[in-house]
Amino acid sequence: MSDDKPDGLREAALHYHEYPRPGKLEIRATKPLANGRDLARAYSPGVAEASLEIKDDPGNAARYTARGNLVAVVSNGSAVLGLGNIGALASKPVMEGKAVLFKKFAEIDCFDIEVNEPDPEKLADIVCALEPTFGAINLEDIKAPDCFIVEQICRERMGIPVFHDDQHGTAIVVGAAATNALHVAGKAFEDIKVVSTGGGAAGIACLNMLLKLGVRRENVWLCDIDGLVHEGRGNSTPQKDAYAQGDRAMGLGDVIAGADLFLGLSGPGVLTPEMVGKMAERPIIFALANPTPEILPEAVRAVAPDAIIATGRSDFPNQVNNVLCFPFIFRGALDVGATEINDAMQLACIDGIAALARATTSAEAAAAYKGEQLTFGVDYLIPKPFDPRLMAVVAGAVAEAAMASGVATRPIADLGAYRAKLNESVFKSALVMRPVFEAAATAERKIVFAEGEDERVLRAAQAMVQETTDVPILIGRPEVIAARIERAGLVIEPGRDVELVNPENDPRYRDYWETYHRLMARKGVSPDLARAIMRTNTTAIGAVMVQRGEADSLICGTFGQYLWHLNYICQVLGADDFHPVAALSLLILEDGPLFIADSQIHPTPTPQQIAETVIGCARHIRRFGVEPKIALCSGSQFGNLDSDSGQRMRAALALLDSETRDFVYEGEMHVDSALDPELRARVFPNCRLEGAANALVFASTDAAGATRNILKMKANGLEVGPILMGMGNRAHIVTPSITARGLLNISALAGTPVSHYG
């Protein structure tokens, strides 16, 4: 097998598995275990209390143990990927990989269990005995027909979901792809002829699913290595015999004529171009054998240019990948305590996946698959695995179907809140941004984007149209914006969903340059210069629009230097007695939000500027529903060093103390003291801060910027902002690293009326 790998892949894969430590999994404690009290609660004697609660009510296992979020991936290694019967031990890297996918895509904990047991009934006995440990079982890479036997026994005897992903996971993704392929082709399940090769677990499960979706049994033709499965053939299985057609031997070439859908789960080269030529108009070809499909897409296109093609490979469009299904169907099943994964849940999964592909692709998926066209159609039938919307859409649909079909033991009262919670687990900013979006929804504001041609801006604008009441205004060339909307597969329409300002030819051009000249005439700006700036400087154009009342807030900075943008904002909007106080960044970390200021505006702020920054921080932090606890950070700690930063911080503290404040602040101190209450108590027992500070104000932009960037890069902090404080919410300057999701977040901040935060 290694000879078929691309250059370097074998070595890279082995290195990946071996370093920095062998394998892909580890176990971590979720509770503290640092002292005797922790030990007493975690183990003897305190653990007995949890055990007794579970003894009295087995349902309490989901409250007091990890069982409710724990899945077992079980295999005997008898049919591993394209490697065959390599045994349980050799299957372990694959099963570890499956466990990693559970964690990555659905935050489900997973143990891989490899069992040396070829007998399917004995293997089923072993799996059934594991029920007290796990909330669900994922059977994996067990050969047919043994897999059917194992699953049937386990489903009959166990009270938790048992799901053979090779069967049902493949069937679900094939069902979603087929749903959308027929949508594109203008055909219906009940009318199509299906020809399939491969009578293994996945092939049979896919045919069973197609019948549930509406395909007629008499329109299904199943072939295997011996040709057509027909009545009385003899060398077959009960699962294959259910699809027997006719009473005589025929080959694939004999039955392919007029087929609308070819479903291949067999081997390379099984389907020839000549066979494709016999199929119906606009044929649908799912050549899913790996690593080499039954026929390559280019061979299909040579015969049938209008064909709709899917494979199992990531280097071709429409990869049928089980990861679109299994993490999310288990997520929904576990969350409602489902006793099984039934047909209703599987069909709901299909509907969710298919509908998501027909919706506009997400910015996150587009970023993960740069250069690919993610617009619903022939080459985009199903979502990409890294589309973060899969969690809420698919898991939510599965949970709802489980409750409706009566298999949920822990029904969810509010499905809307449940889906929001799922989104929060994927979009780290969703929870902390919720109060901001709620406040922004109380008023319709116009937000102008200076860099309206940027694809991130276009995606943010579409999200604004779909998720908020704000109106996006894009500054840019209409033809460029239209081309990039089409290229990105977006559905916003300029003039209907978003307003446009064309810097090259806008009827308001004269009004804009005259306004700019009026503001800047005594600052060296001539009429000619004003005209030139209003043709080329989109930040200045956006600021003039806000100044004239044609927009409520400006967002700029997706490229260029922060202070360059700030200069034009101050020129235009500073004329109305606004002045920038500081730039405030919110970093969303694993243990919660942390605010950082000032990373951009005042390189070495004065005590007055520091005090204004602290006051501004408190006001803006409350926009997120967080009560501010602000630390003034410097190289000096409570007067122990008479440094420049210490002196300025002490003077700022005195200014703050000169009036009554309705928020908590303290300084000057080191960052570790701000974040560690125990350390701070040893250094300064009478500190007015309680607990860890949630905002750090620094004595220089160098210190604030370095802290912000370290947290982003090394602590995986997600930034919201920077928020430009002091400008009355009339302008915000982002940084070039911002994402489309970040732009949506800052637009929500810009869309919040000033009355909501001071």
Side-chain angles (χ1 to χ4, degrees):
M1 293 293 294
S2 62
D3 292 342
D4 298 329
K5 301 290 191 299
D7 291 344
L9 178 58
R10 181 176 185 275
E11 291 75 14
L14 292 175
H15 187 277
Y16 175 89
H17 281 81
E18 186 175 1
Y19 300 102
R21 55 189 297 184
K24 298 189 285 284
L25 296 172
E26 67 178 2
I27 295 175
R28 293 188 180 186
T30 60
K31 304 291 168 58
L33 194 61
N35 51 47
R37 184 170 183 270
D38 291 343
L39 183 60
R41 290 183 296 170
Y43 201 55
S44 181
V47 70
E49 302 302 328
S51 293
L52 291 172
E53 290 292 313
I54 295 169
K55 176 179 177 295
D56 292 340
D57 180 0
N60 281 331
R63 292 181 61 189
Y64 299 119
T65 75
R67 183 176 185 266
N69 193 50
L70 188 60
V71 169
V73 173
V74 182
S75 180
N76 65 358
S78 57
V80 181
L81 297 177
L83 306 175
N85 188 356
I86 62 174
L89 182 60
S91 76
K92 187 169 180 62
V94 180
M95 302 311 129
E96 281 190 0
K98 190 68 176 282
V100 169
L101 296 179
F102 269 111
K103 188 67 175 179
K104 168 65 179 177
F105 288 102
E107 276 298 318
I108 293 173
D109 296 317
C110 186
F111 291 159
D112 62 293
I113 299 178
E114 296 76 31
V115 183
N116 277 323
E117 182 49 75
D119 184 286
E121 293 188 3
K122 292 181 179 179
L123 179 58
D125 287 339
I126 294 170
V127 175
C128 290
L130 297 173
E131 183 169 354
T133 301
F134 297 99
I137 302 291
N138 185 113
L139 300 174
E140 189 78 11
D141 290 350
I142 302 170
K143 69 178 182 179
D146 294 0
C147 58
F148 301 115
I149 299 170
V150 174
E151 184 188 28
Q152 181 178 350
I153 294 173
C154 290
R155 290 185 64 143
E156 290 173 353
R157 289 169 50 186
M158 301 181 79
I160 58 175
V162 178
F163 186 81
H164 186 212
D165 187 45
D166 297 323
Q167 293 181 63
H168 309 301
T170 303
I172 286 169
V173 182
V174 164
T179 297
N180 281 343
L182 292 174
H183 183 89
V184 171
K187 301 181 181 183
F189 278 112
E190 57 268 24
D191 299 328
I192 63 171
K193 175 182 178 180
V194 177
V195 175
S196 179
T197 59
I204 296 297
C206 288
L207 293 179
N208 292 343
M209 184 59 73
L210 290 174
L211 295 190
K212 295 170 188 174
L213 290 169
V215 172
R216 296 176 180 173
R217 163 65 187 82
E218 61 268 24
N219 290 342
V220 177
W221 301 74
L222 173 61
C223 297
D224 62 11
I225 194 170
D226 297 313
L228 178 69
V229 176
H230 60 84
E231 297 286 351
R233 195 178 72 164
N235 56 339
S236 187
T237 66
Q239 291 79 21
K240 292 182 185 180
D241 287 342
Y243 289 96
Q245 286 273 35
D247 57 3
R248 64 189 180 91
M250 287 191 286
L252 178 61
D254 300 318
V255 299
I256 196 71
D260 298 279
L261 169 62
F262 169 78
L263 175 63
L265 293 121
S266 48
V270 168
L271 186 68
T272 66
E274 291 75 18
M275 295 177 186
V276 173
K278 297 178 182 179
M279 294 180 68
E281 290 185 5
R282 199 147 207 203
I284 300 167
I285 296 173
F286 288 1
L288 306 182
N290 260 327
T292 306
E294 285 80 1
I295 187 170
L296 291 172
E298 53 265 34
V300 174
R301 299 269 187 232
V303 180
D306 61 348
I308 302 168
I309 308 166
T311 72
R313 288 173 45 157
S314 61
D315 53 346
F316 295 125
N318 300 322
Q319 182 193 20
V320 173
N321 190 330
N322 290 6
V323 78
L324 287 173
C325 161
F326 72 82
F328 313 110
I329 200 167
F330 274 96
R331 179 74 278 157
L334 288 169
D335 288 342
V336 297
T339 56
E340 64 177 352
I341 294 175
N342 58 24
D343 286 351
M345 296 161 72
Q346 294 181 43
L347 290 170
C349 194
I350 288 175
D351 289 343
I353 293 171
L356 196 55
R358 294 194 298 271
T360 305
T361 185
S362 73
E364 287 76 15
Y369 299 94
K370 285 186 181 296
E372 296 191 39
Q373 185 75 15
L374 304 185
T375 306
F376 177 68
V378 169
D379 290 333
Y380 187 68
L381 299 175
I382 47 179
K384 294 291 188 177
F386 283 95
D387 192 327
R389 299 170 300 173
L390 284 162
M391 175 77 98
V393 170
V394 179
V398 169
E400 184 174 9
M403 292 189 292
S405 59
V407 299
T409 62
R410 298 190 302 274
I412 295 169
D414 188 340
L415 278 169
Y418 171 64
R419 289 187 172 96
K421 184 178 179 182
L422 291 174
N423 268 329
E424 288 163 9
S425 70
V426 177
F427 299 111
K428 291 172 62 177
S429 64
L431 178 61
V432 74
M433 286 297 298
R434 187 186 297 172
V436 175
F437 277 95
E438 290 174 351
T442 63
E444 180 180 298
R445 287 167 59 84
K446 291 188 173 184
I447 313 298
V448 58
F449 290 89
E451 296 96 21
E453 297 175 1
D454 191 297
E455 184 177 317
R456 294 167 295 175
V457 170
L458 297 175
R459 292 188 178 279
Q462 174 162 283
M464 288 173 63
V465 171
Q466 294 174 338
E467 301 178 29
T468 76
T469 57
D470 295 327
V471 178
I473 304 172
L474 308 179
I475 301 178
R477 295 161 292 178
E479 67 278 8
V480 174
I481 290 174
R484 291 181 180 176
I485 287 173
E486 181 178 3
R487 185 181 67 187
L490 305 179
V491 294
I492 50 173
E493 182 179 323
R496 183 194 68 185
D497 302 312
V498 299
E499 298 180 15
L500 295 186
V501 176
N502 182 0
E504 294 182 344
N505 183 23
D506 193 280
R508 295 165 289 187
Y509 169 66
R510 182 183 183 90
D511 294 333
Y512 288 175
W513 78 254
E514 286 183 344
T515 298
Y516 184 71
H517 178 255
R518 174 176 55 80
L519 294 169
M520 299 297 295
R522 293 187 178 276
K523 297 181 181 179
V525 175
S526 66
D528 286 343
L529 182 55
R531 292 188 189 96
I533 289 173
M534 287 298 108
R535 283 285 190 220
T536 59
N537 190 316
T538 56
T539 296
I541 294 170
V544 166
M545 292 182 69
V546 174
Q547 203 277 338
R548 289 170 55 86
E550 296 174 11
D552 296 294
S553 190
L554 161 69
I555 297 175
C556 59
T558 59
F559 63 84
Q561 206 277 331
Y562 191 98
L563 294 178
W564 182 90
H565 292 280
L566 182 63
N567 175 53
Y568 289 98
I569 289 171
C570 290
Q571 285 181 2
V572 177
L573 300 179
D576 295 334
D577 295 327
F578 288 92
H579 71 278
V581 170
L584 174 66
S585 290
L586 163 58
L587 276 299
I588 301 172
L589 306 172
E590 291 299 326
D591 59 352
L594 182 65
F595 295 85
I596 306 291
D598 162 27
S599 61
Q600 303 288 349
I601 295 174
H602 301 297
T604 308
T606 66
Q608 181 65 41
Q609 290 169 336
I610 294 170
E612 289 183 352
T613 297
V614 171
I615 295 168
C617 285
R619 184 171 66 249
H620 284 270
I621 289 169
R622 284 179 170 146
R623 299 176 68 182
F624 297 89
V626 176
E627 193 58 31
K629 294 191 289 185
I630 304 172
L632 283 67
C633 299
S634 79
S636 171
Q637 178 144 267
F638 301 113
N640 73 346
L641 184 64
D642 199 27
S643 63
D644 172 66
S645 65
Q647 290 176 8
R648 286 185 287 116
M649 282 297 181
R650 288 196 289 276
L653 190 69
L655 288 171
L656 290 167
D657 288 344
S658 66
E659 295 184 26
T660 301
R661 308 294 176 186
D662 64 350
F663 59 90
V664 177
Y665 58 93
E666 184 60 284
E668 80 285 8
M669 67 180 76
H670 295 168
V671 171
D672 55 356
S673 294
L675 300 177
D676 185 343
E678 293 186 6
L679 173 60
R680 189 172 65 245
R682 292 199 299 270
V683 176
F684 193 67
N686 298 321
C687 181
R688 48 184 120 172
L689 271 181
E690 291 185 6
N694 55 25
L696 308 177
V697 173
F698 288 90
S700 72
T701 54
D702 286 348
T707 302
R708 163 181 164 269
N709 289 331
I710 290 170
L711 291 173
K712 285 173 61 177
M713 303 306 297
K714 301 302 289 184
N716 199 29
L718 177 67
E719 184 181 19
V720 176
I723 302 164
L724 181 56
M725 301 190 297
M727 297 303 296
N729 207 29
R730 299 172 51 150
H732 293 286
I733 307 169
V734 300
T735 57
S737 62
I738 198 163
T739 64
R741 173 65 52 173
L743 284 165
L744 176 62
N745 287 336
I746 203 72
S747 73
L749 287 159
T752 307
V754 175
S755 59
H756 279 271
Y757 63 96

